[in-house]
Amino acid sequence: MDNVFHLKLNHEDKIATKNLVPGIKAYKEKTLSIKDVEYRIWNPFRSKLAAAIMKKLELMPIKKKTSVLYLGASTGTTVSHISDIVGTAGKIFAVEHSSRVAREFINRVAIHRPNIIPIIEDARMPQNYFAIYEKIDVVYADIAQQNQTEIAINNCKMYLKCYGYLLLVIKARSIDVSKRYQEITNLELKKLKCFSVIQKIDLYPYDKDHFIILAKFLQ
Ligand code: SAM
């Protein structure tokens, strides 16, 4: 996996990314310096992408130079690690609709990282992202909304390259009632008609009621 590092910290296995902006933290993440290189520990309890990697994500579509459309940037925990991975030759168009949250994201994360382009817009209206004028390699969607899958698909139809990848975080109601959880998973998967689904990962124990889908866009 490009630019995702497996390290030992206090005898525990951790994953980390190389800090693109050494000395600057995005949240209260632990950092570690090895041979003058600063690594940021990537906490799977704080980031669903890190949880997916810990749970054996088969293929990591986000690499050095990748362009990413990220829906639901929040305060930028996951976006900051993606920024480390794609490096200065990659870019992240980070969409967040709450102006209060976006302000925190910009001041804490985006301002320090030249590869992040914040977009304060509603992901339900992708036609309003005037900053994007090209097709994108990967769409990452984590907006925790009821119609999150439809919103992600609409964004892909507008911006994702043919054979590009979608990483879709699904917040299922509960995994305690296993039948209900399965039903939700299957219903969401059926909606991905113009995709080839590569993997579906239950994020437990890092996130109790979430799963992530990795799919390839066929349009
Ligand atoms: N992906 C983030 C991370 O790992 O650091 C956490 C995302 S949080 C679960 C969901 C975020 O999506 C919230 O910040 C929320 O404001 C945002 N959101 C929800 N609906 C949205 C929409 N329609 N358009 C843009 N952002 C939205």
Side-chain angles (χ1 to χ4, degrees), residues 23 28 31 34 43 50 68 72 75 96 130 150 160 189 207:
K28 286 183 179 148
T31 55
I34 305 171
N43 186 342
V68 180
T75 50
E96 173 54 56
F130 295 116
E150 288 82 352
L160 188 58
L189 283 169
D207 267 291

Side-chain angles (χ1 to χ4, degrees), residues 144-172:
Q145 296 285 314
Q146 214 177 13
N147 52 348
Q148 53 207 347
T149 305
E150 288 82 352
I151 294 172
I153 293 170
N154 287 340
N155 276 267
C156 290
K157 286 189 172 162
M158 198 138 184
Y159 295 109
L160 188 58
K161 281 179 187 165
C162 179
Y163 303 129
Y165 292 94
L166 167 66
L167 276 161
L168 174 63
V169 176
I170 300 285
K171 187 177 180 180

Side-chain angles (χ1 to χ4, degrees), residues 184-200:
I184 294 168
T185 317
N186 292 340
L187 277 173
E188 299 307 309
L189 283 169
K190 268 192 201 143
K191 293 177 188 167
L192 296 172
K193 289 191 180 70
C194 43
F195 292 83
S196 154
V197 173
I198 298 168
Q199 198 182 4
K200 181 193 88 189

Side-chain angles (χ1 to χ4, degrees), residues 48 70 72-74 77-78 96-98 121-123 142-143 145:
K48 295 171 200 97
Y70 191 110
S74 189
T77 303
T78 303
E96 173 54 56
H97 72 162
S98 156
E121 285 291 348
D122 189 329
D142 180 18
I143 53 171
Q145 296 285 314

